[in-house]
Amino acid sequence: GELLALEVGKIFPEGKGEVQEYVDVCDYATGLSRQLPGQVLPSERPEHFMMEQWHPLGAVGIICAFNFPIAVLGWNSAIGMITGNTQIWKCAPTTTLSSIATQKIIVDVLNRNNLPGGIATFTAGGKDIGESIVDNTSIPLVSFTGSCAAGREVNMKVASRFGKSLLELGGNNAVFVHDDADVEVAIRGTLFGAVGTCGQRCTTCRRLYVHDKHYDAVKERLAALYSKLKIGNPLEAGVLVGPLHTLESVKKFETTVATAVAQGGKVIVGGKAFGANDSSVPGPNYVQPTIIEVTPQTPIVKEEAFVPILYLMKYSSMEEAIAYNNDVEQGLSSAIFTNHIRNINQWTGPNGSDTGICNVNIPTNGAEIGGAFGGEKATGGGRESGSDSWRQYMRRQTNTINYGLTLPLAQGIDFNVE
């Protein structure tokens, strides 16, 4: 947890939580290993039956992003190993220390259970190392976490060699506060959803739509809470906002704020980077969590900047909520705050939100390991961690068994030669 705070910049409680997530998914995977199911199916032919088996793919390549180097590895590593695969994983170039520490624990656990440490192989490096994993035909599955642009390139390269990709890419996630919402719960949920990990989660809330009925109250209350956020050393107790991961992210923050204002947006709170000479923060990577008031038609709203900028907008109906939510390239996570069962079912139904994670009365982030994690559209379509995500790490085989003494053919075909 401390290494994650130092290396990634997330606050210490979030760092500890990420380590706990790996522990939790290991517990989950251990139980899952005893119950990976197949099927027995009836055959149309007499004295035959069919069955379906799942076999390991062989090796899994795992390419992790900077923001969750341990948790994302855990999802893939634990499920990948209990499905019978070896792994080779690469960390982000900027999270080598925490990744090495994690690898040492993995190898120690394997060795204590009389298993070779080489089952889990680790490598660090830049883009060239990632490309060698992507291009390697002996790695049938590549799990990649990163940007939509990089994921598109990975997908095309792996597909060109008929490999499988498991993609976890961007998420321009939205929260809606409906007219019947518990407003205080919605505000608290949005605060963590937008500001947690300094806006650097793939499930971070980036778009907040508030029903006309509550708009002014939510705007005022949320801005007041933003002004009280303690920004500083992520290892210091009480700090809720640490630094951005790189100086490039600080530049992205500044250019995004400027673009939003140029497109007619109004900064409600925040909007500034602290700068290298600001003694109120420990270093140059700090920015103010920001709320910008815009219209839903503002072009910048459709772009994911991966910094703590929240776009605040109005809406009037469930139909508008669904249309606004789905009108972005990505489809990772969404949330609505409402207490009406009809709204809930409309939101989560087939004509509702098109995201892979679709929440009610909780924010867009904070997914649990028991459910499948992933999204649709430009998010990549991959699923990791819980539910039946294990299937992505295995190959399906259909078997037909003839236990009789004759050879009837399917579909009643007669193919006899006398």
Side-chain angles (χ1 to χ4, degrees):
E2 290 182 358
L3 268 180
L4 283 171
L6 289 168
E7 200 167 36
V8 177
K10 60 180 61 181
I11 60 174
F12 181 53
E14 289 190 85
K16 286 177 63 180
E18 181 172 348
V19 175
Q20 185 61 50
E21 189 159 354
Y22 197 164
V23 173
D24 291 345
V25 79
C26 284
D27 286 342
Y28 172 82
T30 300
L32 181 64
S33 68
R34 298 287 186 121
Q35 55 182 358
L36 296 175
Q39 292 191 81
V40 177
L41 305 167
S43 171
E44 66 184 70
R45 289 168 279 190
E47 297 185 308
H48 286 60
F49 73 92
M50 299 170 64
M51 66 181 184
E52 189 176 83
Q53 296 190 85
W54 292 85
H55 298 303
L57 289 171
V60 176
I62 306 167
I63 302 175
C64 295
F66 78 87
N67 57 338
F68 279 89
I70 294 177
V72 171
L73 168 66
W75 298 343
N76 287 278
S77 175
I79 305 300
M81 283 196 282
I82 64 100
T83 48
N85 301 288
T86 59
Q87 66 186 43
I88 176 168
W89 70 284
K90 174 194 171 299
C91 66
T94 52
T95 58
T96 305
L97 290 177
S98 54
S99 299
I100 290 173
T102 304
Q103 175 67 8
K104 292 187 72 172
I105 294 171
I106 294 171
V107 172
D108 181 60
V109 171
L110 290 171
N111 289 338
R112 283 191 281 114
N113 287 274
N114 299 314
L115 295 169
I119 288 174
T121 302
F122 166 73
T123 181
K127 185 177 180 181
D128 57 328
I129 302 298
E131 288 176 342
S132 68
I133 294 173
V134 169
D135 294 335
N136 194 323
T137 57
S138 65
I139 301 176
L141 172 65
V142 176
S143 175
F144 175 83
T145 303
S147 69
C148 295
R152 185 175 287 111
E153 184 178 346
V154 168
N155 193 38
M156 289 189 295
K157 286 187 174 183
V158 175
S160 72
R161 60 175 178 84
F162 298 103
K164 296 171 63 177
S165 296
L166 197 170
L167 302 175
E168 296 291 354
L169 310 177
N172 193 352
N173 314 294
V175 166
F176 293 81
V177 183
H178 207 53
D179 59 356
D180 65 330
D182 183 321
V183 173
E184 186 62 23
V185 170
I187 290 170
R188 292 289 178 177
T190 301
L191 182 68
F192 175 61
V195 179
T197 322
C198 198
Q200 297 170 110
R201 292 186 179 215
C202 49
T203 53
T204 291
C205 172
R206 313 211 177 268
R207 300 178 289 144
L208 174 60
Y209 299 82
V210 183
H211 193 277
D212 297 326
K213 177 181 176 181
H214 298 304
Y215 186 82
D216 291 336
V218 170
K219 174 182 170 181
E220 180 180 354
R221 175 77 172 123
L222 195 58
L225 290 175
Y226 263 62
S227 67
K228 296 178 180 178
L229 289 167
K230 186 175 181 180
I231 303 169
N233 183 339
L235 287 171
E236 182 182 325
V239 167
L240 295 177
V241 183
L244 287 173
H245 190 58
T246 63
L247 288 174
E248 288 78 11
S249 295
V250 176
K251 293 176 184 176
K252 182 67 173 177
F253 171 87
E254 293 177 315
T255 58
T256 302
V257 171
T259 300
V261 171
Q263 292 178 0
K266 178 183 178 182
V267 175
I268 303 301
V269 63
K272 302 290 185 182
F274 282 89
N277 298 320
D278 194 321
S279 60
S280 66
V281 290
N285 287 29
Y286 288 82
V287 301
Q288 298 172 340
T290 298
I291 301 174
I292 303 179
E293 189 174 38
V294 295
T295 68
Q297 293 74 33
T298 306
I300 195 70
V301 170
K302 293 191 177 183
E303 300 179 19
E304 183 189 25
F306 223 71
V307 292
I309 296 174
L310 178 66
Y311 299 115
L312 176 64
M313 294 160 278
K314 292 180 181 180
Y315 77 104
S316 301
S317 67
M318 279 297 297
E319 289 70 27
E320 278 190 345
I322 293 168
Y324 289 150
N325 179 74
N326 297 350
D327 192 29
V328 293
E329 181 184 26
Q330 304 90 342
L332 177 54
S333 186
S334 61
I336 191 168
F337 286 84
T338 179
N339 289 317
H340 199 299
I341 189 66
R342 184 176 298 154
N343 296 334
I344 293 171
N345 288 335
Q346 188 176 355
W347 178 250
T348 59
N351 297 315
S353 169
D354 65 0
T355 57
I357 300 167
C358 180
N359 295 333
V360 177
N361 294 329
I362 65 168
T364 51
N365 56 356
E368 299 181 30
I369 59 101
F373 183 94
E376 302 301 322
K377 303 190 295 187
T379 301
R383 293 298 188 274
E384 295 170 325
S385 192
S387 186
D388 65 350
S389 301
W390 60 268
R391 294 172 183 257
Q392 300 210 49
Y393 303 86
M394 305 193 82
R395 59 180 177 88
R396 185 196 309 250
Q397 184 182 81
T398 301
N399 313 119
T400 303
I401 311 298
N402 179 1
Y403 59 88
L405 299 176
T406 60
L407 190 65
L409 302 180
Q411 293 84 48
I413 294 173
D414 187 359
F415 199 81
N416 291 321
V417 178
E418 300 296 339

